[in-house]
């Protein structure tokens, strides 16, 4: 039995969107329990030259929903708008991505296979097929940004563990 593009991409994207939403909940709960301001997490960075926690969470949505929108258009350029500035706005961004991915059909995803796809950022570009873009560029990016958001919470002292990152795994039923 072969694996469809939908099966290779969508469940993992939904899993990481769920993880990102859980991390937002963990950060907000931490703030409530420790009487700290939300900005302490929204703008937190591991290093000064890295983008803030809110941007990392935003990018999980961008490299899932945004990548699918890019495949449909044949072109993806990162959204450089500022990230949402509140926990509720981050949740809304993630919820929109979940809704968009849940609406994808296997038939639509399989129709993407072989289509030309271009990534452009500033003065650089890369050409892909749709499936190469989703599996070799988009997927590693949503894992990277979700892991970075997780690591920022760890750095700030939030007691998150591996299962908080793993999210809802797909077990045999």
């Amino acid at each position: 039995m072969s694996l469809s593009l939908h099966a290779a991409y969508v469940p993992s994207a939904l899993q990481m969107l769920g993880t990102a939403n859980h991390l937002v909940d963990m950060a907000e709960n931490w703030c409530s329990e420790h009487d700290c301001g939300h900005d302490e997490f929204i703008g937190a960075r591991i290093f000064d030259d890295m983008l803030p926690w809110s941007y990392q969470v935003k990018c999980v949505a961008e490299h899932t929903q945004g990548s699918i929108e890019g495949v449909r258009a044949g072109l993806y350029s990162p959204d450089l708008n500022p990230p949402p500035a509140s926990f509720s706005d981050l949740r809304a961004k993630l919820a929109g991505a979940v809704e968009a991915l849940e609406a994808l059909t296997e038939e639509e995803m399989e129709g993407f296979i072989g289509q030309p796809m271009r990534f452009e950022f500033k003065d650089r570009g890369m050409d892909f097929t749709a499936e190469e873009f989703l599996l070799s560029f988009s997927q590693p990016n949503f894992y990277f940004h979700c892991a970075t958001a997780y690591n920022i919470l760890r750095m700030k002292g939030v007691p998150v563990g591996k299962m908080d990152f793993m999210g809802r795994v797909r077990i045999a039923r």
Side-chain angles (χ1 to χ4, degrees), residues 14-54:
L14 288 170
Q15 185 175 347
M16 287 301 100
L17 285 162
T19 291
N21 196 65
H22 176 66
L23 296 177
V24 172
D25 290 345
M26 297 282 290
E28 186 171 42
N29 290 340
W30 176 264
C31 286
S32 295
E33 293 168 5
H34 294 86
D35 195 33
C36 69
H38 294 184
D39 287 345
E40 185 172 327
F41 287 91
I42 295 293
R45 302 165 192 255
I46 297 174
F47 292 102
D48 290 339
D49 67 348
M50 291 181 75
L51 293 164
W53 182 79
S54 59

Coordinates of all heavy atoms in Angstrom, one line a residue, residues 14-54:
L14 N -1.4 18.7 11.5 CA -2.5 18.9 12.5 C -1.9 18.5 13.9 O -2.3 19.2 14.9 CB -3.7 18.0 12.2 CG -4.5 18.5 11.0 CD1 -5.5 17.4 10.6 CD2 -5.2 19.8 11.3
Q15 N -1.0 17.5 14.0 CA -0.4 17.2 15.2 C 0.4 18.4 15.8 O 0.3 18.7 17.0 CB 0.4 16.0 15.1 CG 1.0 15.4 16.4 CD 1.8 14.1 16.1 OE1 1.7 13.5 15.1 NE2 2.6 13.7 17.1
M16 N 1.2 19.0 14.9 CA 2.0 20.1 15.4 C 1.2 21.4 15.6 O 1.5 22.2 16.5 CB 3.1 20.4 14.4 CG 4.3 19.4 14.4 SD 5.1 19.2 16.0 CE 4.3 17.7 16.7
L17 N 0.1 21.6 14.9 CA -0.8 22.7 15.2 C -1.4 22.5 16.6 O -1.6 23.4 17.4 CB -1.9 22.8 14.1 CG -1.4 23.4 12.8 CD1 -2.4 23.1 11.7 CD2 -1.2 24.9 13.0
G18 N -1.8 21.2 16.9 CA -2.3 20.9 18.3 C -1.3 21.2 19.3 O -1.6 21.7 20.4
T19 N 0.0 20.8 19.0 CA 1.1 21.0 20.0 C 1.3 22.5 20.2 O 1.4 23.0 21.3 CB 2.4 20.4 19.5 OG1 2.3 19.0 19.5 CG2 3.6 20.8 20.3
A20 N 1.3 23.3 19.1 CA 1.5 24.7 19.2 C 0.3 25.4 20.1 O 0.6 26.2 20.9 CB 1.5 25.4 17.9
N21 N -0.9 24.9 19.9 CA -2.0 25.4 20.7 C -1.8 25.0 22.1 O -2.1 25.9 23.0 CB -3.3 24.9 20.1 CG -4.5 25.6 20.6 OD1 -4.7 26.8 20.3 ND2 -5.3 25.0 21.4
H22 N -1.4 23.8 22.4 CA -1.1 23.4 23.8 C 0.0 24.2 24.4 O -0.1 24.6 25.6 CB -0.7 21.9 23.7 CG -0.4 21.4 25.1 ND1 -1.3 21.2 26.1 CD2 0.8 20.9 25.5 CE1 -0.6 20.7 27.2 NE2 0.6 20.5 26.8
L23 N 1.0 24.6 23.6 CA 2.1 25.4 24.2 C 1.6 26.8 24.5 O 2.0 27.4 25.5 CB 3.2 25.5 23.2 CG 4.0 24.2 22.9 CD1 5.0 24.4 21.9 CD2 4.5 23.6 24.2
V24 N 0.6 27.4 23.7 CA 0.0 28.6 24.0 C -0.7 28.5 25.3 O -0.6 29.4 26.2 CB -0.9 29.1 22.9 CG1 -1.7 30.4 23.3 CG2 -0.1 29.4 21.6
D25 N -1.5 27.5 25.5 CA -2.2 27.2 26.8 C -1.3 27.1 28.0 O -1.5 27.7 29.0 CB -3.1 26.0 26.7 CG -4.2 26.1 25.8 OD1 -4.6 27.2 25.4 OD2 -4.8 25.0 25.4
M26 N -0.2 26.4 27.8 CA 0.8 26.2 28.9 C 1.4 27.6 29.2 O 1.6 27.9 30.4 CB 1.9 25.3 28.4 CG 1.5 23.8 28.2 SD 1.2 22.9 29.6 CE 2.8 22.7 30.3
A27 N 1.8 28.4 28.2 CA 2.3 29.7 28.5 C 1.3 30.6 29.3 O 1.7 31.3 30.2 CB 2.8 30.4 27.2
E28 N 0.1 30.6 28.8 CA -0.9 31.5 29.5 C -1.2 31.0 30.9 O -1.3 31.8 31.8 CB -2.2 31.5 28.7 CG -3.2 32.4 29.2 CD -4.4 32.6 28.3 OE1 -4.9 31.6 27.7 OE2 -4.9 33.8 28.2
N29 N -1.3 29.7 31.1 CA -1.5 29.2 32.4 C -0.3 29.5 33.3 O -0.5 29.9 34.5 CB -1.7 27.6 32.4 CG -3.0 27.3 31.8 OD1 -3.9 28.1 31.7 ND2 -3.1 26.0 31.3
W30 N 0.9 29.4 32.8 CA 2.1 29.7 33.6 C 2.1 31.2 34.0 O 2.3 31.5 35.2 CB 3.4 29.5 32.8 CG 4.7 29.9 33.4 CD1 5.3 31.1 33.2 CD2 5.4 29.1 34.4 NE1 6.5 31.1 34.0 CE2 6.5 29.9 34.7 CE3 5.3 27.9 34.9 CZ2 7.5 29.5 35.6 CZ3 6.2 27.5 35.8 CH2 7.3 28.2 36.2
C31 N 1.7 32.1 33.1 CA 1.6 33.5 33.4 C 0.5 33.7 34.6 O 0.8 34.5 35.5 CB 1.2 34.3 32.2 SG 2.5 34.5 31.0
S32 N -0.6 33.0 34.5 CA -1.6 33.2 35.5 C -1.2 32.7 36.8 O -1.4 33.3 37.9 CB -2.9 32.4 35.1 OG -3.4 33.0 33.9
E33 N -0.5 31.6 36.8 CA -0.1 30.9 38.1 C 1.1 31.7 38.7 O 1.3 31.6 39.9 CB 0.3 29.5 37.9 CG -0.9 28.6 37.5 CD -0.5 27.2 37.0 OE1 0.7 26.9 37.0 OE2 -1.4 26.5 36.6
H34 N 1.9 32.4 37.9 CA 3.2 33.0 38.4 C 3.1 34.5 38.4 O 4.2 35.2 38.5 CB 4.4 32.4 37.7 CG 4.6 31.0 38.0 ND1 4.0 30.0 37.3 CD2 5.4 30.4 38.9 CE1 4.4 28.8 37.8 NE2 5.2 29.0 38.8
D35 N 2.0 35.0 38.1 CA 1.8 36.5 38.1 C 2.8 37.2 37.3 O 3.5 38.1 37.7 CB 1.8 37.0 39.6 CG 1.2 38.5 39.7 OD1 0.3 38.8 38.9 OD2 1.7 39.2 40.5
C36 N 2.9 36.7 36.0 CA 3.9 37.4 35.1 C 3.1 37.9 33.9 O 2.0 37.4 33.6 CB 5.0 36.5 34.7 SG 4.5 35.1 33.6
G37 N 3.6 38.9 33.3 CA 3.0 39.5 32.1 C 3.1 38.6 30.9 O 4.1 37.9 30.7
H38 N 2.0 38.7 30.1 CA 2.0 37.9 28.8 C 3.2 38.2 27.9 O 3.7 37.4 27.2 CB 0.7 38.0 28.1 CG -0.4 37.4 28.9 ND1 -1.7 37.4 28.4 CD2 -0.5 36.9 30.1 CE1 -2.5 36.8 29.2 NE2 -1.8 36.5 30.3
D39 N 3.6 39.5 27.9 CA 4.7 39.9 27.1 C 6.0 39.2 27.4 O 6.9 39.1 26.5 CB 4.9 41.4 27.2 CG 3.8 42.2 26.5 OD1 3.1 41.6 25.7 OD2 3.7 43.4 26.8
E40 N 6.1 38.7 28.6 CA 7.3 37.9 29.0 C 7.5 36.7 28.0 O 8.6 36.3 27.8 CB 7.2 37.5 30.4 CG 8.5 36.8 30.9 CD 8.5 36.5 32.4 OE1 7.9 37.3 33.2 OE2 9.1 35.5 32.8
F41 N 6.4 36.1 27.5 CA 6.4 35.0 26.6 C 6.3 35.4 25.2 O 7.0 35.0 24.3 CB 5.3 34.0 27.0 CG 5.7 33.2 28.2 CD1 5.2 33.7 29.5 CD2 6.5 32.1 28.2 CE1 5.6 33.0 30.6 CE2 6.8 31.4 29.3 CZ 6.4 31.9 30.6
I42 N 5.3 36.3 24.9 CA 5.1 36.8 23.5 C 6.4 37.2 22.9 O 6.6 36.9 21.7 CB 4.0 37.9 23.5 CG1 2.7 37.4 24.0 CG2 3.9 38.5 22.1 CD1 2.0 36.4 23.2
G43 N 7.2 38.0 23.5 CA 8.4 38.5 23.0 C 9.7 37.7 23.3 O 10.8 38.2 23.0
A44 N 9.6 36.6 24.0 CA 10.7 35.9 24.5 C 11.5 35.2 23.3 O 10.9 34.8 22.3 CB 10.3 34.8 25.4
R45 N 12.8 35.3 23.5 CA 13.8 34.7 22.5 C 14.8 33.9 23.2 O 15.2 34.3 24.3 CB 14.5 35.8 21.7 CG 13.5 36.8 21.0 CD 14.3 38.1 20.6 NE 13.4 39.1 20.1 CZ 13.2 39.4 18.9 NH1 13.9 38.9 17.9 NH2 12.3 40.4 18.6
I46 N 15.4 32.9 22.5 CA 16.5 32.2 23.1 C 17.8 33.0 22.9 O 18.5 33.1 23.9 CB 16.6 30.8 22.4 CG1 15.4 29.9 22.7 CG2 17.9 30.1 22.9 CD1 15.4 28.6 21.9
F47 N 17.9 33.6 21.8 CA 19.1 34.5 21.5 C 18.5 35.8 20.8 O 17.5 35.7 20.2 CB 20.1 33.8 20.6 CG 20.8 32.7 21.2 CD1 20.5 31.4 20.9 CD2 21.9 32.9 22.1 CE1 21.1 30.3 21.5 CE2 22.5 31.8 22.7 CZ 22.2 30.6 22.4
D48 N 19.2 36.9 21.0 CA 18.8 38.1 20.5 C 18.5 38.1 19.0 O 17.6 38.8 18.5 CB 19.8 39.3 20.8 CG 19.8 39.6 22.3 OD1 18.8 39.3 23.0 OD2 20.8 40.2 22.8
D49 N 19.3 37.4 18.2 CA 19.1 37.4 16.8 C 18.0 36.4 16.3 O 17.8 36.3 15.1 CB 20.4 37.1 16.1 CG 21.0 35.7 16.3 OD1 20.4 34.9 17.2 OD2 21.9 35.3 15.6
M50 N 17.3 35.8 17.2 CA 16.2 34.9 16.8 C 14.9 35.7 16.9 O 14.7 36.6 17.6 CB 16.1 33.7 17.8 CG 17.3 32.7 17.6 SD 17.2 31.3 18.7 CE 15.9 30.4 17.9
L51 N 13.9 35.2 16.2 CA 12.6 35.7 16.2 C 11.9 35.3 17.5 O 12.2 34.3 18.1 CB 11.8 35.3 15.0 CG 12.3 35.9 13.7 CD1 11.8 35.2 12.5 CD2 12.0 37.4 13.6
P52 N 10.9 36.1 18.0 CA 10.3 35.9 19.3 C 9.4 34.6 19.3 O 8.9 34.2 18.2 CB 9.5 37.1 19.6 CG 9.2 37.7 18.2 CD 10.4 37.3 17.4
W53 N 9.0 34.2 20.5 CA 8.1 33.1 20.7 C 6.8 33.2 19.9 O 6.4 32.3 19.2 CB 7.8 32.9 22.2 CG 7.0 31.8 22.5 CD1 7.4 30.5 22.6 CD2 5.6 31.8 22.8 NE1 6.3 29.7 22.9 CE2 5.2 30.5 23.0 CE3 4.6 32.8 22.9 CZ2 3.9 30.1 23.4 CZ3 3.3 32.5 23.2 CH2 2.9 31.1 23.4
S54 N 6.2 34.4 19.9 CA 5.0 34.6 19.1 C 5.2 34.3 17.6 O 4.3 33.8 17.0 CB 4.4 35.9 19.4 OG 5.3 37.0 19.0

